[in-house]
Amino acid sequence: MMLDLAFIWAAIIAFAVLAYVMMDGFDLGIGILFPFYKSEADRDRMMNSVAPVWDGNETWLVLGGGGLFAVFPLAYAAIMPALYAPIIIMLLALVFRGVAFEYRWRTRRGKFLWDWAFALGSLAATFTQGIALGTIVQGIPIVDRAYAGGWWTWLTPFSFFTGLALVVGYALLGATWLILKTDEQLQERSYRFAMILGPATLILIGLVSLWTPFLEPLYMERWFSWPRMLYTIPVPLLVALAAYLLIRGLVRREEYTPFLASLALFLLSFIGLGVSFYPYMVPPTLTIWDAAGPEESLSFLLVGAVVLVPIILAYTAYSYWVFRGKVGSEGYH
């Protein structure tokens, strides 16, 4: 493992993407679950539980995407043309969802429209993020350092399946977040949803994990060759432990454990992707060092990252601390 500027920047971007998935995942999950909660009071509480933090959560998406553009321009130039359609849909969905946060509190006659904008925007943003993930995992065709696929290359059974898996996984994060932030009937209903979504997420993680090694010989070698298996086997074992804690926490009606165990499942899935990918930025062609910009750019931008990332972490932690505890129907708005 080479510890240089390109590696450090790859670690920063990977951290930003992981932070986005773990923090924006549960508020997107609440939008996915929105149609299944019919009471207007319940919906108000659901939105209030994430209203103070949802836009801060998306800061990490900007950092990850902006960092990729600035630091790994070749990877950016290969990934973006491959994902134009899902990324455009994702951005439009996030816009509708963001507007819904403000507008649904300002109207009664049109409130149902903004409820649907919130729900469908969350669903579309999540599904397209899953498709983008699946497209990168299955490999992006590159010839002469340029994208060599077509407009619809991203649409495959695997990418569709990863999109579906992410929708279910984010919904689990949303349900366990509501267990943590609410009480009484809304909390009890969230327990019931989590009892369905937990096993469904575990099954989908298992299916994606079994499918992935057959996409690239590199992945197969990483996970099933001896003695490499000695290094990779802790990941599925820890997934099994997180799954046990999730189900036990739900059965015992614990409040913190289900959410933390769900986050652990996403963390371990992300580590599993890293095990498959490293050192490729765009598998199976571009490594981190192939895709990196000039050393001067990496060092100049790193100064900004050293200043900005701690600031983002500090105000994120502060906002979660200020709005800690159970949430009611009256609050943020």
Side-chain angles (χ1 to χ4, degrees):
M1 182 180 294
M2 296 173 59
L3 186 60
D4 55 14
L5 287 172
F7 178 85
I8 292 170
W9 263 110
I12 292 172
I13 291 176
F15 175 76
V17 173
L18 176 63
Y20 171 75
V21 168
M22 294 180 73
M23 284 196 271
D24 207 32
F26 65 78
D27 68 57
L28 285 167
I30 286 173
I32 294 167
L33 292 172
F34 218 55
F36 300 99
Y37 292 77
K38 302 302 182 184
S39 162
E40 188 171 323
D42 286 349
R43 292 183 171 184
D44 289 348
R45 291 181 73 189
M46 292 168 73
M47 291 198 81
N48 270 332
S49 74
V50 293
V53 297
W54 74 271
D55 43 1
N57 294 340
E58 293 186 353
T59 303
W60 298 103
L61 179 64
V62 176
L63 179 62
L68 186 69
F69 170 73
V71 182
F72 297 102
L74 186 56
Y76 186 86
I79 292 172
M80 285 302 292
L83 295 172
Y84 273 143
I87 286 179
I88 289 171
I89 294 171
M90 180 192 75
L91 293 176
L92 289 173
L94 290 176
V95 168
F96 269 95
R97 183 174 177 276
V99 173
F101 264 103
E102 305 298 332
Y103 278 42
R104 74 177 296 276
W105 301 89
R106 300 287 184 261
T107 176
R108 295 206 60 81
R109 189 170 58 182
K111 195 171 188 177
F112 74 98
L113 293 174
W114 296 112
D115 283 349
W116 278 109
F118 179 60
L120 294 178
S122 301
L123 178 64
T126 302
F127 186 63
T128 50
Q129 286 176 18
I131 281 183
L133 172 65
T135 303
I136 295 173
V137 171
Q138 71 191 6
I140 293 177
I142 296 175
V143 175
D144 295 333
R145 298 165 64 84
Y147 175 60
W151 178 257
W152 296 103
T153 301
W154 54 272
L155 188 57
T156 65
F158 181 75
S159 67
F160 189 89
F161 194 77
T162 52
L164 174 66
L166 198 64
V167 168
V168 176
Y170 277 5
L172 173 65
L173 285 177
T176 52
W177 172 258
L178 290 175
I179 290 171
L180 186 62
K181 296 293 289 185
T182 63
D183 52 17
E184 300 177 343
Q185 291 184 355
L186 178 54
Q187 186 189 54
E188 184 58 34
R189 194 170 297 120
S190 301
Y191 272 118
R192 291 200 294 271
F193 276 119
M195 284 298 290
I196 298 170
L197 293 165
T201 300
L202 294 169
I203 291 171
L204 290 168
I205 288 175
L207 291 175
V208 171
S209 301
L210 290 173
W211 195 339
T212 299
F214 293 94
L215 297 173
E216 281 290 335
L218 173 70
Y219 304 156
M220 183 67 78
E221 181 187 352
R222 290 284 169 83
W223 288 99
F224 294 108
S225 66
W226 184 265
R228 286 182 183 271
M229 289 179 63
L230 294 175
Y231 299 99
T232 57
I233 198 68
V235 177
L237 292 178
L238 289 172
V239 168
L241 175 61
Y244 167 73
L245 293 174
L246 170 65
I247 300 302
R248 191 188 70 168
L250 292 173
V251 171
R252 292 184 176 183
R253 291 297 194 263
E254 296 172 0
E255 293 189 344
Y256 284 91
T257 307
F259 182 63
L260 295 176
S262 301
L263 289 179
L265 288 175
F266 273 81
L267 172 63
L268 292 166
S269 299
F270 194 80
I271 291 173
L273 284 175
V275 170
S276 300
F277 273 30
Y278 184 81
Y280 289 93
M281 178 66 71
V282 184
T285 310
L286 295 179
T287 67
I288 293 169
W289 298 276
D290 293 332
E295 288 277 315
E296 294 79 6
S297 299
L298 300 187
S299 57
F300 174 76
L301 292 167
L302 187 60
V303 175
V306 168
V307 175
L308 284 178
V309 171
I311 292 174
I312 297 172
L313 285 171
Y315 75 64
T316 299
Y318 182 68
S319 64
Y320 277 86
W321 172 256
V322 168
F323 294 99
R324 66 190 182 278
K326 301 291 183 182
V327 66
S329 55
E330 301 290 333
Y332 178 70
H333 285 85

